[in-house]
Amino acid sequence: MAARPPLDPSQPTHWILDWDGTITRRDSLDALVSIAASSKPNSPVLEEWKRVSEAYMSDYIAAMEKLAPGGKLPRTVQDEKKLLQALASVEQASLDRVSESQIFAGLTRKLLDEGAKSLIDSKKVEMRNGFAQFLKLRQSRGHDGLDLLSVNWSRHFISSCLRAAGAPVEKGAINANELGGIERDLVSNGKISPEEDAEMLIISSGDKLEHMARLRKPACESRNSSLDSSRPIVYIGDSWTDIECLLEADLGICIRDEPLGSSQRKLAERLQSLGIHCPHLHDWKKADERQVVWARNFTEIQAWMEAQQARKV
């Protein structure tokens, strides 16, 4: 792979951010399910959620035993992509189970809005340190672009959480799936589908990469992005599902806690197995040609940007 040109963070940049575990401190799917459970107290929502979760794990373990027997995982990026592509069928099967379970049937925008506010107020969904300030500064720069790219099941839920946290993002900049009916302000049928104006679900690493490629297109070709392809992309993510976007971006930033969460550890292990050096963001110039680094939160990312800009003055 040819080395990328140096990234200048003081220049117009297109930021693409994962949601669960990246903007939020923890995965929010359980929180989304809790809204459904609260809205239907006499329905077996939590039992159904446990059933589909256990079925997913069973499928995933079986698939990994078949695709990587003895835990022998890929050592090249090309083989890594093939493995992730093969695992997409596990994600699709799980999505089908969730839709068929009717866990989310009966939800409305109002219920999602109220549920999201309650979750934010109780800190069951919590934004990562520095995100609100990072977002405000990106929006104030004007020439920067920002998109969210998530495998989460409800774009409206993400939007509601951000509003409740005082960090609103234009809904058109949130690229995620949606519960059937919510886009049209109807009672949800419980099925998970693409956004109303999108062509495909976002359920896998490959899906995220394809959507990132679309966001990189010039404004005249891209549905959501306001930036042309000359703007460098910085992608921020935390899990294995983000690895292809992290590797393809002009700069990939892995979010890491101390100690590492399970998803963060999996991503760190895969990068190491692929021979990809991943220094801390402040040592970003020591990264290899893949340009992947790590940071603890958005406070660190903002401090790094300010340091780079100060050096240019």
Side-chain angles (χ1 to χ4, degrees):
M1 176 181 177
R4 296 184 175 99
L7 177 71
D8 183 351
S10 68
Q11 295 302 307
T13 303
H14 190 167
W15 298 83
I16 301 181
L17 283 56
D18 171 54
W19 164 251
D20 283 304
T22 297
I23 293 174
T24 63
R25 296 186 65 183
R26 295 176 295 276
D27 187 277
S28 66
L29 279 182
D30 282 342
L32 177 58
V33 171
S34 75
I35 296 176
S38 296
S39 70
K40 300 184 290 186
N42 297 320
S43 297
V45 169
L46 296 180
E47 291 85 348
E48 282 295 292
W49 178 234
K50 180 181 179 183
R51 179 184 67 80
V52 297
S53 298
E54 289 175 349
Y56 169 78
M57 285 307 303
S58 178
D59 281 0
Y60 176 82
I61 291 168
M64 288 297 291
E65 288 174 350
K66 180 180 179 181
L67 297 167
K72 190 176 180 180
L73 292 165
R75 294 288 178 176
T76 69
V77 172
Q78 183 178 4
D79 287 341
E80 185 85 351
K81 288 184 175 184
K82 289 178 181 177
L83 173 59
L84 288 163
Q85 184 179 15
L87 287 171
S89 61
V90 174
E91 303 297 336
Q92 183 63 63
S94 180
L95 226 63
D96 292 343
R97 284 192 202 96
V98 173
S99 293
E100 291 164 5
S101 73
Q102 293 287 285
I103 287 173
F104 298 112
L107 285 182
T108 62
R109 285 188 185 182
K110 185 172 184 288
L111 287 169
L112 287 171
D113 291 340
E114 293 171 347
K117 185 178 186 309
S118 176
L119 290 165
I120 292 292
D121 290 345
S122 65
K123 298 194 181 217
K124 291 178 181 176
V125 173
E126 192 172 1
M127 302 297 118
R128 196 167 285 278
N129 288 349
F131 172 71
Q133 179 68 2
F134 170 86
L135 177 64
K136 183 178 179 181
L137 290 169
R138 298 289 66 69
Q139 292 170 336
S140 69
R141 270 167 60 105
H143 55 245
D144 273 0
L146 186 138
D147 281 282
L148 273 58
L149 181 52
S150 174
V151 297
N152 193 281
W153 297 336
S154 174
R155 178 167 72 155
H156 191 82
F157 169 69
I158 294 173
S159 178
S160 297
C161 287
L162 289 166
R163 287 198 311 274
V169 172
E170 274 188 41
K171 206 164 183 182
I174 301 173
N175 303 271
N177 306 301
E178 191 52 275
L179 303 175
I182 295 298
E183 291 277 3
R184 291 172 290 155
D185 202 11
L186 302 174
V187 176
S188 177
N189 59 17
K191 295 181 179 179
I192 299 165
S193 59
E195 303 167 21
E196 196 165 83
D197 50 355
E199 299 174 1
M200 58 179 280
L201 286 161
I202 308 174
I203 62 174
S204 68
S205 173
D207 294 339
K208 287 189 125 183
L209 182 62
E210 184 173 337
H211 274 261
M212 189 174 84
R214 294 179 184 184
L215 293 171
R216 194 191 278 273
K217 290 179 181 179
C220 61
E221 299 177 32
S222 179
R223 176 172 54 87
N224 288 332
S225 177
S226 61
L227 295 176
D228 65 41
S229 58
S230 67
R231 302 298 201 272
I233 285 179
V234 178
Y235 184 90
I236 308 177
D238 73 300
S239 70
W240 197 18
T241 311
D242 297 304
I243 192 167
E244 292 184 76
C245 288
L246 288 164
L247 295 176
E248 189 65 27
D250 296 284
L251 178 68
I253 303 177
C254 306
I255 292 294
R256 293 182 178 177
D257 293 311
E258 294 178 344
L260 295 178
S262 58
S263 295
Q264 297 169 355
R265 189 182 314 112
K266 178 72 172 181
L267 174 59
E269 289 170 351
R270 295 311 308 135
L271 291 171
Q272 184 176 19
S273 293
L274 296 171
I276 295 166
H277 182 49
C278 185
H280 186 267
L281 176 59
H282 290 307
D283 295 319
W284 70 297
K285 292 189 176 178
K286 295 180 182 178
D288 59 28
E289 67 273 11
R290 289 288 182 176
Q291 298 266 316
V292 180
V293 296
W294 69 272
R296 295 175 183 85
N297 50 46
F298 289 91
T299 301
E300 284 194 349
I301 295 170
Q302 186 60 39
W304 167 74
M305 290 188 64
E306 290 169 355
Q308 305 308 310
Q309 290 164 3
R311 290 191 181 102
K312 292 184 68 71
V313 175

